[in-house]
Amino acid sequence: TQLLEQSPQFLSIQEGENLTVYCNSSSVFSSLQWYRQEPGEGPVLLVTVVTGGEVKKLKRLTFQFGDARKDSSLHITAAQPGDTGLYLCAGGYHPNTGNQFYFGTGTSLTVIP
Amino acid sequence: DVKVTQSSRYLVKRTGEKVFLECVQDMDHENMFWYRQDPGLGLRLIYFSYDVKMKEKGDIPEGYSVSREKKERFSLILESASTNQTSMYLCASRPEGAAGEQFFGPGTRLTVL
């Protein structure tokens, strides 16, 4: 059973387009992280959000944590080929039950030059 | 630069073999994790450790065991490899703290024939 469902699973867009990736759950999380993974590498953290309704911006990337802390979105403006990769969300409970984060199913993004 | 290293990038083993995957981190982190990554399933936690000689089962521990004799090293053991354990294995470490960043190794792609 996946606690976190991401959509879409695959996304292929032209350079310069905007896109949104969604991460949804029926569970309430204390914090949520977004990672990007490039081929042949491990995931790398992009952002952590901890407050319901929180919005964080990282250059062209905008992250939002839902008010109820059950969902999150990642919006990319004017996508570039360097944004290509697998995007993973991960939700954590605190105090940690088992000290772990639960990862989503992943969204594979391809930005075509 | 912080670093998590894994002993092999690619590994091919035969059904029934005992397989050792090694992970070393140089950040003095308390927590270490082993995940497997399969398409469409995201990352699933196999085992984690929050201290030397301590271990906790994750979501899919069956067929695996772990060892943490030193703080910097966390080993994953496949007691008798099976074809359904063909996967990408990722090791991660994380400092103590509720929403700390996980640092991942580059992964080991294991094929069991």
Side-chain angles (χ1 to χ4, degrees):
Chain A
T1 304
Q2 286 291 147
L3 287 178
L4 285 163
E5 296 286 342
Q6 288 184 237
S7 61
Q9 187 175 355
F10 298 97
L11 192 54
S12 181
I13 62 170
Q14 294 289 332
E15 182 176 359
E17 292 184 357
N18 302 333
L19 67 115
T20 302
V21 175
Y22 299 94
C23 173
N24 295 299
S25 176
S26 57
S27 301
V28 176
F29 292 102
S30 300
S31 64
L32 196 134
Q33 298 177 330
W34 283 94
Y35 289 80
R36 180 170 66 211
Q37 182 179 19
E38 298 184 13
E41 301 296 331
V44 176
L45 181 69
L46 296 173
V47 76
T48 300
V49 285
V50 297
T51 305
E54 182 177 0
V55 176
K56 277 192 174 178
K57 292 194 174 184
L58 186 67
K59 296 183 180 178
R60 292 177 294 99
L61 279 60
T62 301
F63 304 86
Q64 184 162 9
F65 201 10
D67 290 341
R69 302 205 314 275
K70 292 183 179 181
D71 55 84
S72 180
S73 64
L74 158 60
H75 182 79
I76 301 179
T77 303
Q80 298 178 1
D83 296 327
T84 292
L86 179 68
Y87 289 81
L88 293 157
C89 63
Y93 299 103
H94 312 294
N96 279 340
T97 53
N99 201 27
Q100 67 184 81
F101 276 77
Y102 294 89
F103 278 83
T105 48
T107 294
S108 179
L109 171 66
T110 302
V111 181
I112 303 164
Chain B
D1 233 6
V2 295
K3 214 167 186 182
V4 178
T5 56
Q6 294 183 227
S7 51
S8 304
R9 295 296 295 264
Y10 299 93
L11 211 51
V12 179
K13 295 291 181 181
R14 297 217 172 264
T15 302
E17 282 192 78
K18 192 169 185 176
V19 182
F20 294 86
L21 302 181
E22 304 283 339
C23 175
V24 178
Q25 52 102 357
D26 65 0
M27 295 163 282
D28 202 36
H29 288 167
E30 291 79 10
N31 303 299
M32 296 188 75
F33 306 81
W34 274 107
Y35 295 89
R36 64 176 284 175
Q37 183 174 28
D38 300 287
L41 296 177
L43 273 66
R44 292 180 292 166
L45 183 66
I46 304 171
Y47 268 96
F48 68 97
S49 169
Y50 53 88
D51 201 351
V52 175
K53 296 192 186 295
M54 306 305 288
K55 61 184 179 184
E56 294 282 345
K57 292 180 180 179
D59 299 316
I60 50 165
E62 296 79 19
Y64 304 95
S65 62
V66 290
S67 172
R68 193 166 181 203
E69 296 297 317
K70 294 185 177 181
K71 191 175 185 180
E72 67 270 20
R73 188 179 299 268
F74 192 34
S75 302
L76 179 69
I77 304 147
L78 285 67
E79 298 291 344
S80 177
S82 62
T83 53
N84 62 14
Q85 291 178 310
T86 292
S87 186
M88 171 68 84
Y89 289 87
L90 288 163
C91 175
S93 72
R94 197 178 94 210
E96 202 56 48
E101 175 180 357
Q102 292 192 67
F103 294 86
F104 284 86
T108 296
R109 182 161 295 282
L110 172 67
T111 302
V112 183
L113 301 174

